[in-house]
Amino acid sequence: MESTASKQLPQTTKGNMTQPRPLSTFSSASTHVDILTPITPPTITPSLTLSTTLAPPVDPENGVSTKEMIVDSPPEGGLQAWLTVAGSFCITTAVYGLSNSVGVIQPYWAQHHLSSFPIQDIAWISGANIFLCLFLGVQVGPWFDRFGPRWLLMAGSLVYLAGLVGLGFLPEESDVHVRQGVRAPGVMYGLLMLLWAIVMGSGAALCCTVALSVLAHWFEKKRGLAAGIVFVGSSVGGAAFPLVLRTTLPKLGWAWSMRILALIVASLLSIGNILIKGRIKGRRGSGAINFACFRDASFLWTTVGCFSMCLLDFGLGSGVGRLVAGAISDKIGRFNTMILTTIFSIITTFAVWMLVETDRMWLIYLFAALFGFGTGCVISIGPICVGQLTVPSKFGQYYGTSYSVVSFS
């Protein structure tokens, strides 16, 4: 018994030191430690989470964060994008095309409705129409950025059609009489100024500003081509509407001619309202006239350039120039295209116009075609150059403000 017990006791050495027992002897439920299992330190959960995300910068002009203004890049194509281009084409055909038909309408006024007025006084009516179409863009542009195209385009179409339909109710010259001491021609002049200049000019500002500004929602690299296609509509309408009027005015008279025009214009505006779609939601804080963009020197000088070129714009050949210049600008740059076409116009003036003589009158037609081709580019390239200086969500404000200055040309 003793020998057995002594074998179980730990062996001692000198100095009363005990040899360490094997680890297996410590095996128990409470003291067992597995040396192969790593010890994981306790996880400490912080009570406060620190964020390294900085607040987005604030746009001092509108008082909103620039993060709200950032949008994805335009798709540069697709079905809806090109349908929008087609809709804008219809809008410019109807509105700008009819404005370009004043060469037929104004002589008719001089012979019938306003025969007692000099031609320079009659010209103020058509001039006021174009002026308001461009000048009112200073407010329509910010509205477009704020609300999008839908309701502005619909309102502009209704206003424009109201003025055109109203023209159809004006009497012919045979119905003009002196009534109640008021000279009827003066009343007729006031009615034409109200309907053609003020009402239709205001509607044109709403329609055309929207039709051009919405292109920035869909195009950046191809915006020149898109704008060129849209602006060709003004040349198409400027050629088609006079043909209609030269046929209807002698046969049907003024009232029915205006009603036929109203039917054509209503069809074009309806197509435009259906096809045009916006892609960028409105910006908070926008919607008011803001001239802060003139602080940008590039914008200021671009506006001055557009103003100067519009003084020289010529009708014949302009439609081709708008399309070609728009397509080329996407390849070589918008400002480069503007410079090249300006040089082309200057060369045309010295090379052709200076050679015009009575026995070479054909040079006048050649000059009209070439010079119109050169200056026509400003119609399509001008707004695109302005768009180069801002983001798509503010294109309406920049375009409308710039061309409100151009309107004085």
Side-chain angles (χ1 to χ4, degrees):
M1 293 291 293
E2 291 180 0
S3 61
T4 303
S6 62
K7 293 180 180 180
Q8 295 178 352
L9 294 174
Q11 299 179 357
T12 59
T13 60
K14 294 181 181 180
N16 199 24
M17 297 294 293
T18 305
Q19 287 186 346
R21 291 182 292 179
L23 291 174
S24 58
T25 60
F26 290 94
S27 178
S28 66
S30 60
T31 61
H32 175 71
V33 178
D34 190 352
I35 62 174
L36 298 178
T37 304
I39 301 175
T40 303
T43 302
I44 302 175
T45 303
S47 58
L48 177 63
T49 302
L50 298 179
S51 175
T52 58
T53 303
L54 300 177
V58 175
D59 178 14
E61 179 183 343
N62 299 307
V64 297
S65 64
T66 55
K67 183 179 180 181
E68 298 176 0
M69 299 165 54
I70 296 176
V71 296
D72 57 336
S73 58
E76 302 294 345
L79 178 60
Q80 186 55 62
W82 291 112
L83 286 176
T84 298
V85 172
S88 297
F89 174 87
C90 293
I91 296 295
T92 56
T93 301
V95 178
Y96 282 149
L98 193 55
S99 297
N100 291 340
S101 304
V102 71
V104 177
I105 296 176
Q106 189 167 290
Y108 192 88
W109 291 341
Q111 295 178 5
H112 299 80
H113 299 86
L114 304 175
S115 57
S116 61
F117 287 86
I119 192 65
Q120 59 267 25
D121 291 344
I122 299 175
W124 278 101
I125 299 175
S126 57
N129 174 282
I130 299 174
F131 171 77
L132 289 179
C133 177
L134 298 176
F135 179 76
L136 293 180
V138 69
Q139 177 60 80
V140 179
W143 279 347
F144 170 81
D145 292 337
R146 178 66 181 88
F147 302 108
R150 177 61 56 209
W151 298 108
L152 290 177
L153 187 57
M154 185 180 298
S157 300
L158 293 175
V159 171
Y160 193 82
L161 281 173
L164 186 56
V165 171
L167 290 174
F169 288 95
L170 295 183
E172 296 285 350
E173 75 282 1
S174 58
D175 297 327
V176 175
H177 303 287
V178 178
R179 300 168 183 170
Q180 298 180 355
V182 179
R183 187 169 178 80
V187 176
M188 182 65 68
Y189 187 93
L191 290 174
L192 288 173
M193 179 66 75
L194 173 64
L195 295 173
W196 183 272
I198 298 177
V199 177
M200 295 179 63
S202 301
L206 288 165
C207 292
C208 292
T209 303
V210 170
L212 298 176
S213 299
V214 75
L215 299 179
H217 287 196
W218 298 99
F219 298 94
E220 172 56 36
K221 296 179 181 179
K222 298 180 181 179
R223 194 183 298 172
L225 175 61
I229 294 173
V230 170
F231 276 112
V232 168
S234 63
S235 297
V236 173
F241 285 125
L243 293 176
V244 174
L245 290 172
R246 287 191 178 98
T247 302
T248 59
L249 284 174
K251 296 180 178 180
L252 303 177
W254 171 261
W256 277 105
S257 296
M258 292 300 102
R259 291 163 189 167
I260 292 174
L261 285 184
L263 181 61
I264 298 173
V265 170
S267 301
L268 292 170
L269 293 179
S270 298
I271 295 173
N273 277 265
I274 293 172
L275 296 182
I276 290 177
K277 295 286 191 303
R279 193 182 61 89
I280 300 174
K281 295 182 179 180
R283 295 185 298 124
R284 290 186 302 173
S286 62
I289 297 176
N290 193 332
F291 294 102
C293 46
F294 282 111
R295 298 174 185 172
D296 184 353
S298 299
F299 174 81
L300 176 61
W301 286 110
T302 300
T303 301
V304 172
C306 292
F307 178 89
S308 302
M309 290 298 293
C310 281
L311 287 173
L312 302 175
D313 184 39
F314 206 81
L316 298 178
S318 182
V320 178
R322 294 168 190 177
L323 179 59
V324 173
I328 293 176
S329 68
D330 292 334
K331 303 295 183 181
I332 67 174
R334 284 70 188 258
F335 286 95
N336 293 335
T337 304
M338 183 74 78
I339 294 172
L340 291 176
T341 51
T342 301
I343 295 174
F344 176 83
S345 301
I346 295 174
I347 294 174
T348 300
T349 302
F350 286 97
V352 180
W353 180 253
M354 300 297 292
L355 301 178
V356 174
E357 296 179 359
T358 55
D359 59 339
R360 291 186 292 185
M361 295 301 295
W362 60 271
L363 288 175
I364 293 181
Y365 299 100
L366 178 62
F367 172 78
L370 295 178
F371 192 75
F373 177 87
T375 58
C377 78
V378 74
I379 302 298
S380 60
I381 300 300
I384 308 305
C385 290
V386 173
Q388 291 286 102
L389 308 176
T390 185
V391 295
S393 60
K394 299 173 70 174
F395 181 86
Q397 175 190 338
Y398 272 62
Y399 166 73
T401 304
S402 175
Y403 272 73
S404 68
V405 177
V406 175
S407 65
F408 288 94
S409 63

